[in-house]
Amino acid sequence: MEKTVQAHFKPGLTTWILTSLVLGVACGLFFGDLCTPLKAVGDIFIGLLQMTVLPYITLSLILNLGRISIKQTRNMAFTVIVLLLVLWSIGLFSVALMSLSFPFWQKGAFFSTSIIEGPKTESLYNLFVPANPFFSLANNAVPAVVLFSIGVGIALSSIPKREHLLDPLSVAVSALMKLNRFVVHLSPFGVFAIVAYAVGTLPFEKFGLLQAYLITYSVATIIITVGILPMLLSICTPVRYWDAVRISQPAVIAAFVLSSTFAVLPLIVEAARELLDRYDLEKDETGGSPDVLVPLVFPFPDLGRIVGLIFIPFSAWFYGASLMPEQYPKFLSLGMAGSFAKPAVTIPWLLDLMHIPHDIFQLYLAVGVYTTRLGDALRTVYLFSFAVLAAASLSGTLKVQWKRFFTYTFLSLCLAGVLITGIHTVLEYTFKNLYQSKALIADRQLLFPGVTETILKGTAPNPDRIQPHETRIDRIRRRGKIRLGFDAKRLPFSYFNDRGELVGFDIDMAHRLALDLGVDIEFIPFIPQTLIKQLNEDHFDLAMSGLEGTIERATAFPVADSYMDVTLAIVLPDFRKVDFLEFEALRHSHQLKIAVVANSFFDEKAHEFFPNATFVSINSEEDFFQKKAAGADLMVTSAEAGAAWTLLYPEFSVINPFKKNIRVPMYYLGAHDIEFEEFMEVWLELKKKEGVFDTLYNYWILGKDDAIAEPRWSIIRNVLHWVD
């Protein structure tokens, strides 16, 4: 009898990638930040994948467009436009539908730890116009490369004897595909390294504040990726649903892990061609090959970017100001237009246009490591589905099965309704209290406490007058106390935090000064209007509250040491930032009403830059934010102070529309005393060289925390205790 040969299971590439994914997660959780060296392995793998993509796009488009006629090119253009409009409509409808997940409630202000600078404007010329194709290739300007390749391909299609060029190009494209396949077979190693590094080093708490957005975006992406697009293929072609899912799987997983659709374009083309060949949906004479279609639509907006627009209604909900139904046409049309650019440009632009506080963009960036990967997975299925549908349409094999269409549409809407209701309920009752966040600036504490302090509620001259032949330093040491003036409304230099503690940049410096002198502190309150009078009457030895230099103060007190410079800037409501794009024209307007702190440097400068404006004098920046500035449109102050206030009032932003940075010196003001002046000069210089100023600047001005972060949780460190 013949022995039956038992078939052995041979794992495919998808199995190996999934296995590497699981092992990478396990490795990251076990070793934690010890996986950091694996980042280099992942970067090398991604670089190897990307090295063939742009040359492949260029040569493939030239080759395939050069082979077809002008008539075929026109037919392809019509099909591409119609399909893009259909798929984009699906994305926009999904955004509008999933926005119903967000319930409405009033929430506290959100915070940011740094100034959010306006997005850098991309050069549309360099991005879309291939003035120098080699520059476009070197700088990954995909739209320009595609435009150049399309132009050359169409030009070749009408030239006789073009086969002399097309045949070598065909060999080159085959070589690039073969090289890419070789690199793809290394995917299990690259995937393991990338996942282990990401899981081992990403702080868990980064996802805490954006759970609502992450849940909604994930659900929308998964519904379209696993449901709508594969079902669309089965509705319009003979392709079975599970075949579409299975064949596209390796490319989707690779795009998610690598966080790059660009790197897996050859995989997408191969998957689309495999599906078309299996169902005999493609005809050679149409020219509608995936080699042409995928690179052709890659630079255009995709469903990954469009679905990512859910962040805008989420942000509005986050601040307790949900988008109204009448706002959605504007939002969706602007969002669609903005999807031609990168999300890092589009999202801040839309936040401004929809009058949503700009500060939340920081958290969008914080969770980008996850949402970008999910968007790349969706983009991969989108390109795969588009290539199959377009090729079938051009071949005449695309036929809508209306019965299946209505059935799938009804089931999809029912499923979406259940999921939206579930998310809405979860957000309403579970995450509602999660977002009552306090501004970071209101919760800060001193870095250098250590001396006893007394905060006086009133002000009076020093009860111990300076004795004959006694200097101010002598009196401070004799009393064992230094009297320091403070203004409690000078964020981030001196203010009371939520615990009622006096904190700030200058308060930290005051404690350091008292520590070096070996004395305690008496804090005496002042307001800018009484500062000079109080100093003349010896109410305190030194005023330390972020006081900018003015001519009046410099004349009254020549003993004024500048310890840092700040930048002249404007604070205004977020949505008004777009008004100041044409600053030179607007600054001469007679309609502007500007708030300035009375008798400040900014009062002087505001009149210089806005000669025709109406000015409102206020006692402190707080008056402007609390709407006690007679309806002022904006306030002129320093960018450093303005940014600190916007942490408490995130609906405002800081901008610097001036053609050059205007630096304003900040002073500590003291009474006339040569010895005390010399001491302060030497002391300030020492603190700068010791790095004290840099530490405090990073902490109070930039919002950074130089404290050594605890290592990420890991099994080897926190469970087994094998490493410290």
Side-chain angles (χ1 to χ4, degrees), residues 105-107 426-436:
W105 60 68
Q106 293 292 336
K107 293 170 290 296
V426 169
L427 295 180
E428 180 70 36
Y429 295 104
T430 304
F431 295 133
K432 184 171 182 178
N433 295 325
L434 180 65
Y435 297 102
Q436 303 300 325

Side-chain angles (χ1 to χ4, degrees), residues 68 90 133 162 210 254 298 311 388 456 468-469 545 552 568 658:
I68 62 178
I90 291 173
R162 58 184 181 273
L210 286 179
F298 179 78
F311 188 79
V388 174
L456 303 182
H469 308 296
S545 280
E552 180 186 9
L568 183 70
F658 308 106

Side-chain angles (χ1 to χ4, degrees), residues 53-68 73 76 80 137 141-157 166 169-170 173 176 265 269 287-300 386:
V53 176
L54 266 185
Y56 169 80
I57 289 176
T58 305
L59 299 183
S60 178
L61 279 175
I62 293 174
L63 172 65
N64 289 283
L65 287 174
R67 284 175 171 170
I68 62 178
T73 303
M76 184 188 300
V80 166
L137 283 165
V142 178
V145 171
V146 169
L147 185 61
F148 168 76
S149 304
I150 291 173
V152 174
I154 293 174
L156 273 174
S157 65
L166 296 179
L169 286 182
S170 178
V173 169
L176 289 172
L265 284 181
V269 171
S289 167
D291 303 80
V292 178
L293 296 168
V294 172
L296 184 65
V297 300
F298 179 78
F300 292 96
F386 175 87

Side-chain angles (χ1 to χ4, degrees), residues 107-112 209-210 318-319 357-363 435 437-440 646-651:
K107 293 170 290 296
F110 191 66
F111 66 89
S112 172
L209 290 173
L210 286 179
F318 188 90
Y319 285 104
H358 206 257
D359 303 61
I360 200 170
F361 183 62
Q362 286 286 49
L363 285 185
Y435 297 102
S437 304
K438 292 183 179 180
L440 180 60
T646 61
L647 300 178
L648 296 176
Y649 300 91
E651 63 271 22

Side-chain angles (χ1 to χ4, degrees), residues 163-224:
E163 293 78 11
H164 295 297
L165 176 61
L166 296 179
D167 289 342
L169 286 182
S170 178
V171 174
V173 169
S174 299
L176 289 172
M177 289 293 293
K178 187 174 182 179
L179 176 59
N180 188 265
R181 288 192 200 102
F182 170 75
V183 177
V184 166
H185 279 86
L186 301 176
S187 294
F189 302 101
V191 167
F192 172 79
I194 293 168
V195 172
Y197 168 74
V199 174
T201 58
L202 183 68
F204 296 133
E205 59 272 14
K206 275 197 172 183
F207 293 99
L209 290 173
L210 286 179
Q211 292 181 63
Y213 169 61
L214 293 176
I215 291 171
T216 308
Y217 179 72
S218 299
V219 169
T221 303
I222 292 171
I223 288 176
I224 297 175

